[in-house]
Amino acid sequence: WDPTTPGTPATPGNDLGGGARGPQQSKNWCIKHIEVRVVSGEHIDRVGIVVEILGAESRVRLQSGETTLVPAEDLEAVPPQKNSSVIILQGDLANATGKLIGIDGRDGIVKMDLNSDIKIVDMPSLAVHSPPS
């Protein structure tokens, strides 16, 4: 533990592996081209890709191909698996991309795309990155 490390925004006691953010994070953690799961509302438990941010809502292309608007608080980032392309959602490395090469508890081991550096990132700060092809 390093006292200079910023705290995690993950909900205390929520160790389900999800990327859900507390209410104070709901307006700014969601970014384009990440994989999300709908956690409440009409499309609950469906997975899709964020294609547009419209204030406090996100336009999500669901796996079915349907596109829908979902409030940010009804979304959580899909936890990445080993070898996934990832994007960092917050902190000094926010918006940087890489490949998740390992997982050690809450730590994700990421090989950065920019310079091939290896970084240790808190897993709730990572999302599956799905840029347009």
Side-chain angles (χ1 to χ4, degrees):
W1 182 76
D2 178 3
T4 61
T5 302
T8 175
T11 304
N14 180 7
D15 288 327
L16 301 176
R21 304 297 187 257
Q24 75 281 5
Q25 297 287 326
S26 64
K27 289 186 177 66
N28 64 7
W29 71 266
C30 194
I31 58 176
K32 284 171 58 171
H33 311 304
I34 64 169
E35 201 170 301
V36 291
R37 176 178 294 106
V38 182
V39 295
S40 63
E42 177 185 353
H43 300 286
I44 191 164
D45 288 334
R46 295 181 69 189
V47 173
I49 305 293
V50 175
V51 294
E52 188 177 10
I53 305 294
L54 301 164
E57 292 187 313
S58 298
R59 187 175 309 281
V60 177
R61 187 179 63 247
L62 300 171
Q63 288 177 334
S64 63
E66 175 186 0
T67 301
T68 186
L69 274 178
V70 182
E73 63 266 14
D74 290 350
L75 296 173
E76 70 177 8
V78 171
Q81 302 297 312
K82 187 175 176 184
N83 296 319
S84 296
S85 289
V86 294
I87 189 163
I88 300 171
L89 299 175
Q90 60 203 14
D92 293 342
L93 297 171
N95 297 314
T97 59
K99 183 175 184 176
L100 183 62
I101 60 172
I103 300 172
D104 183 13
R106 282 182 61 94
D107 292 334
I109 303 158
V110 179
K111 183 176 182 180
M112 305 305 295
D113 288 338
L114 180 65
N115 52 17
S116 295
D117 281 359
I118 304 297
K119 299 288 185 185
I120 306 299
V121 181
D122 195 37
M123 284 296 291
S125 297
L126 294 176
V128 176
H129 187 227
S130 297
S133 38

